Amino acid sequence: MKRLQTDYIDLYYLHFIDGSIPLSESVGELTRLKSEGKIRAIGISNATIEQVKQANETNELNVLQSPYHMLDRSAEQELLPYCMEHDISFIPYGPLAFGILGGKYQSDMILDDGDWRKDLALFQPDMFTRHLARVEKLKAIASEEQLTLPNLALAWLLHQPGVDAVIPGGKRVEQIRNNAEASGIPLSASTMNQIKLVLEE
């Protein structure tokens, strides 16, 4: 806090769960800091539904950060419903599927050695090809709405029940500005249904 020149931290995340320490102890310590006014909200990330429930045993958990985007909707099965039921903010990371929903990848794209995305199911050859086919259909929907594909993907996320914010990356100022525009984009029920049909193919 001294380095940040602040009296409190708005949101303190446990980004990766330490399996050697009971979650109740970690959250208990953060609860103490919260009661002292040093932090305002408690968050965890990269957690299973069981870990989320453990962290929220005393109803002190405020935020869950987890992967969620058009091409990976597994959070809809348990994590999102639990968060909505317990008034926990859900903040997706990787909202552009780690680049795939940027709309610029081609089928011959090869990740460099050492690229951490090589281990993701999204980038395995068969899955990657299927996702690129979906991307082309999503581009068409975006074009009809006079949007870029990234903005369509971000706006779609912000229309999902329980999602309070998204964390898109950006290497350039222009990308950050474009991403920010998604927060004000309305999507009609018809457009949401078109997207749903593409994602469920």
Side-chain angles (χ1 to χ4, degrees):
M1 287 190 293
K2 286 180 181 177
R3 291 198 304 271
L4 291 171
Q5 298 180 11
T6 184
D7 296 324
Y8 61 88
I9 304 297
D10 285 299
L11 171 58
Y12 197 106
Y13 271 118
L14 299 176
H15 275 282
F16 292 94
I17 307 300
D18 186 339
S20 65
I21 300 172
L23 259 175
S24 57
E25 289 186 22
S26 299
V27 174
E29 182 63 16
L30 293 180
T31 300
R32 181 183 66 78
L33 294 173
K34 188 176 176 181
S35 68
E36 293 174 359
K38 293 177 181 174
I39 65 176
R40 297 245 173 126
I42 297 169
I44 62 172
S45 184
N46 302 295
T48 64
I49 185 64
E50 291 78 15
Q51 290 171 325
V52 173
K53 289 177 179 178
Q54 289 174 31
N56 197 44
E57 280 181 355
T58 57
N59 295 311
E60 291 288 348
L61 186 62
N62 303 114
V63 182
L64 171 64
Q65 183 184 129
S66 192
Y68 181 37
H69 48 76
M70 285 178 161
L71 305 179
D72 179 2
R73 298 168 60 195
S74 56
E76 295 173 3
Q77 296 171 16
E78 295 182 296
L79 292 175
L80 257 173
Y82 180 87
C83 287
M84 291 171 64
E85 182 182 348
H86 293 84
D87 198 27
I88 298 168
S89 291
F90 187 95
I91 301 181
Y93 72 79
L96 298 180
F98 309 107
I100 297 176
L101 291 170
K104 296 181 180 178
Y105 291 162
Q106 303 296 321
S107 57
D108 59 354
M109 193 267 292
I110 298 175
L111 296 173
D112 294 334
D113 289 340
D115 191 317
W116 61 273
R117 294 174 299 173
K118 271 194 167 185
D119 296 328
L120 296 179
L122 283 170
F123 288 88
Q124 300 312 304
D126 289 345
M127 289 290 287
F128 186 62
T129 300
R130 286 176 57 197
H131 290 321
L132 289 184
R134 286 193 180 99
V135 162
E136 290 307 309
K137 294 178 181 179
L138 292 169
K139 280 182 182 178
I141 295 173
S143 179
E144 288 175 12
E145 297 295 316
Q146 297 184 315
L147 299 172
T148 64
L149 176 58
N151 274 358
L152 180 74
L154 295 175
W156 177 86
L157 269 176
L158 290 168
H159 279 70
Q160 301 307 308
V163 172
D164 294 312
V166 296
I167 309 175
K171 294 181 179 178
R172 299 187 303 276
V173 172
E174 180 185 350
Q175 288 177 319
I176 295 168
R177 286 180 178 148
N178 289 339
N179 288 341
E181 291 174 2
S183 63
I185 295 173
L187 296 178
S188 68
S190 173
T191 300
M192 291 294 286
N193 190 55
Q194 288 181 62
I195 294 170
K196 181 174 182 287
L197 292 175
V198 170
L199 299 183
E200 292 182 352
E201 286 180 354

